[in-house]
Amino acid sequence: DADVTQTPRNRITKTGKRIMLECSQTKGHDRMYWYRQDPGLGLRLIYYSFDVKDINKGEISDGYSVSRQAQAKFSLSLESAIPNQTALYFCATSYRGTKYFGPGTRLTVT
Amino acid sequence: EDQVTQSPEALRLQEGESSSLNCSYTVSGLRGLFWYRQDPGKGPEFLFTLYSAGEEKEKERLKATLTKKESFLHITAPKPEDSATYLCAVRNPNPDNTDKLIFGTGTRLQVFP
C-alpha cells in the first residue's frame, strides 16, 4: 500500500466551483505539504503544516486554503476554482528534510 | 536570488550509452541537495540527498555527485526503464525553518533499446 495517498486522482471542475483535494499518509510524519506542478515551472509550495495546530502559507497560497484534520490527513481546498489553477497537485510528507510525495491529483478547471 | 537550473531539458540516449545530467544552484548556505525521479502521471520518488562538496551516492546505475556550485547525476549503461524526468532540489536555511525546497524544472530522459 502507498504511504501517501491522494484523492481524487483526476478531477475536472468548472470555474467558480469549490473543490477539495485530500491527502492521507501512513508514514507517521508530522510535516505535510501541498505543491503544485506546472510545465516549465517546477514544483511550487502552496501550504505546509508541521503539526495539527500549525498551518503556514507557501509561496503561492492565494486562492487556496488547507485543513489539517489529523496527523495523517491534510486537505487542500480551492474556494472558487479558476482556469489558471489547472495543474498537477502533490501532497508530501517530510522527515529530516527528505520529502515523500503522493501520486498526485490532476485538476482541470474549465 | 536562490535558484536551481537543470540541463539539458531533455536527453535521448541509446540503451547502454552513459551520460550525465547537471543541476547548478545558487543558494546561500546549502543544507542539502536532493535528486528525485518522476514517472509520467506519478509523484516524485526520492533518490539521493547530498550535503557537502565531494560527497557521492550510488544506486544501481545512478551516481550523484556534488560540488560547491553544481551536482551531477551520472547514468551508467542506462536501460529503457531508466526513462523518466529527473528533478533536482536544494534545501535552503530559512529563519522560520520551513524545510523549503527549491526545485529545478527537471531533465526528461528517454532511453531507447
Side-chain angles (χ1 to χ4, degrees):
Chain A
D1 288 340
D3 295 318
V4 182
T5 57
Q6 293 182 234
T7 56
R9 294 295 315 280
N10 289 283
R11 180 71 182 266
I12 300 173
T13 192
K14 294 186 176 181
T15 298
K17 294 291 187 182
R18 184 180 189 277
I19 182 170
M20 179 182 289
L21 310 183
E22 299 188 342
C23 175
S24 295
Q25 55 113 346
T26 59
K27 298 185 79 67
H29 296 163
D30 288 325
R31 300 185 176 195
M32 297 187 74
Y33 304 76
W34 276 104
Y35 285 88
R36 68 176 275 176
Q37 187 176 40
D38 300 274
L41 291 179
L43 284 153
R44 293 180 291 165
L45 182 63
I46 306 172
Y47 269 95
Y48 60 100
S49 169
F50 285 173
D51 62 43
V52 175
K53 298 180 181 179
D54 179 75
I55 302 289
N56 302 281
K57 293 182 178 180
E59 55 186 305
I60 54 164
S61 59
D62 288 348
Y64 302 95
S65 62
V66 292
S67 173
R68 185 81 183 266
Q69 301 93 327
Q71 188 213 31
K73 295 184 182 295
F74 192 35
S75 59
L76 175 73
S77 294
L78 287 67
E79 298 301 326
S80 179
I82 56 177
N84 77 357
Q85 291 178 312
T86 293
L88 260 176
Y89 289 84
F90 290 102
C91 174
T93 68
S94 176
Y95 181 70
R96 292 186 178 180
T98 298
K99 301 290 190 294
Y100 300 90
F101 289 85
T105 294
R106 183 172 296 279
L107 177 66
T108 303
V109 183
T110 62
Chain B
E1 180 184 352
D2 299 329
Q3 198 167 356
V4 176
T5 303
Q6 292 188 245
S7 62
E9 288 187 12
L11 182 62
R12 294 164 57 98
L13 297 174
Q14 203 71 33
E15 184 172 3
E17 179 186 2
S18 301
S19 188
S20 297
L21 283 55
N22 177 263
C23 171
S24 62
Y25 61 90
T26 54
V27 294
S28 54
L30 181 69
R31 289 181 61 206
L33 183 141
F34 301 81
W35 281 99
Y36 286 85
R37 170 191 170 127
Q38 185 175 20
D39 293 296
K42 296 188 177 181
E45 176 187 348
F46 171 71
L47 292 173
F48 305 109
T49 308
L50 302 167
Y51 290 103
S52 56
E55 188 175 359
E56 298 183 353
K57 295 268 180 80
E58 284 190 69
K59 180 180 179 180
E60 296 180 354
R61 294 176 293 281
L62 301 176
K63 183 168 84 171
T65 62
L66 181 65
T67 72
K68 289 187 177 180
K69 293 187 176 182
E70 58 191 349
S71 176
F72 291 95
L73 185 65
H74 306 278
I75 303 176
T76 302
K79 298 182 178 182
E81 54 261 42
D82 294 321
S83 297
T85 296
Y86 291 85
L87 301 174
C88 172
V90 298
R91 184 182 178 191
N92 194 22
N94 284 290
D96 53 358
N97 190 27
T98 65
D99 277 338
K100 182 180 178 183
L101 289 184
I102 304 166
F103 281 89
T105 53
T107 292
R108 187 174 68 256
L109 174 66
Q110 293 178 291
V111 182
F112 295 91

